[in-house]
Amino acid sequence: MPQDATASNVVVIGGGAIGLSIAWRAAQRGHSVCVLERGELGAGASHVAAGMLAPVTEADAGELALLELGLRSARAWPAFADELAAASGADPGLRRCGALVVARDGDEAAALERELALRLELGLDVERLLPSAARRLEPALAPTLRLALAVPGDHAADPRALVLALAGAARAAGVQLRTATTVNGVRVEHGRVTGVELRGGEVLAAREVVVAAGAWSGALTGLAPIALRPVKGQIMRLRDPEGPGLLERIVRFEGGYLVPRGDGRYVLGATMEERGFDTTVTAGGLYELLRDAGELVPGIHELVVEETAAGLRPATPDNAPLLGRAQDVAGLVWATGHHRNGILLAPVTAEIVAGVLDGDAAPAAFAPGRFARARAGAAA
Ligand SMILES: Cc1cc2nc3c(=O)[nH]c(=O)nc-3n(C[C@H](O)[C@H](O)[C@H](O)COP(=O)(O)OP(=O)(O)OC[C@H]3O[C@@H](n4cnc5c(N)ncnc54)[C@H](O)[C@@H]3O)c2cc1C
């Protein structure tokens, strides 16, 4: 029998924004929780993410359940951030800045009109702005701008600050955080989870195992394959030596975005690349980001490059997360597949998964087995 070395009833695999949020909420509900992270906390996609909380700009006609989940999480974010700051003494960097989506030519303007129509049909808060009105809000935008949409409810948080705050709050709530601890696989006996196996052979007993290992969640031994793939994103972190003020709002454009942190720092992102587990930063990726952003906000060419990075978004076939209990293994809970929206979805994911640990049902739209069921249905 495995050793009950942690005395935890819940083991969370992965110390990113998702695993830490769940661990904190589960501990608040009285569970004894241990997070196992193979590197540093937040070393995966959460370290690279821009941190937009942007359900409205991300909305897609084919992804209405995801939109609802995103809106719910966006509404939860302010109270989540306040509670987190109070519990940890660290600020998760929420900025209620709003966003502008901009078009630089006729084709992009036509596409933006369609995006506007969809959002108005869905009852979302967006406003069409003439270029002059957009430039009054953000004077750094190029005069060649063709059209803009204002999205006042889409904001941003700082994912690295979020991870620090979550770690502090989780620790204060009694969560055991083990870094430099790689999980090889999940132990399953007679259809029930009994624990996890670590690299090096140690086995930790657990009554419940939550898989929150981001893009690597499918690599754990002992579990059936899941529909998850990594989607690479490259970003640049920029700093204005003159301090804040170049941009106040998030600026989104075809192929990327600029996210101001409010203190003169900006994240310029992001590529979307299907290249497996490759996290190299390429000249071509950075060139395209700079070229497109520089056409719309020429002032970014004056900024200092502080960092370049690439991360892996955990993506599912329908871009929505896998949340809830596995059908085939008792005690196994999935919390991954957050793709482009894991920072946005951290509060609602934590609430749903902590509820699942207490016996609540997760929303059916995000059932971890939905792709296997669809395949079985198609085969029949
Ligand atoms: C370029 C880019 C920009 C993004 N921008 C945004 C944005 O603006 N807004 C937004 O909401 N989202 C954004 N995202 C998406 C967001 O980063 C992810 O959805 C989110 O970080 C997923 O969090 P996670 O905790 O599931 O995964 P991760 O942050 O990847 O964490 C998973 C953790 O599990 C650990 N791990 C993996 N395998 C094991 C193992 N076997 N044993 C132990 N530990 C393990 C990893 O080391 C890692 O720390 C962006 C992503 C990228 C790449």
Side-chain angles (χ1 to χ4, degrees), residues 32 133 197 256:
S32 119
E197 292 175 18

Side-chain angles (χ1 to χ4, degrees), residues 247-292:
L247 292 173
E248 282 301 318
R249 294 162 186 76
I250 298 166
V251 173
R252 299 188 66 142
F253 47 90
E254 180 67 39
Y257 48 74
L258 275 160
V259 180
R261 289 272 180 259
D263 57 0
R265 291 178 302 140
Y266 298 84
V267 178
L268 167 58
T271 63
M272 292 278 290
E273 302 170 67
E274 303 273 353
R275 290 184 189 274
F277 286 89
D278 166 35
T279 51
T280 51
V281 175
T282 64
L286 298 183
Y287 165 72
E288 284 175 22
L289 291 174
L290 278 172
R291 180 198 60 201
D292 293 351

Side-chain angles (χ1 to χ4, degrees), residues 52 103 152 170 190:
M52 288 175 293
H190 310 297

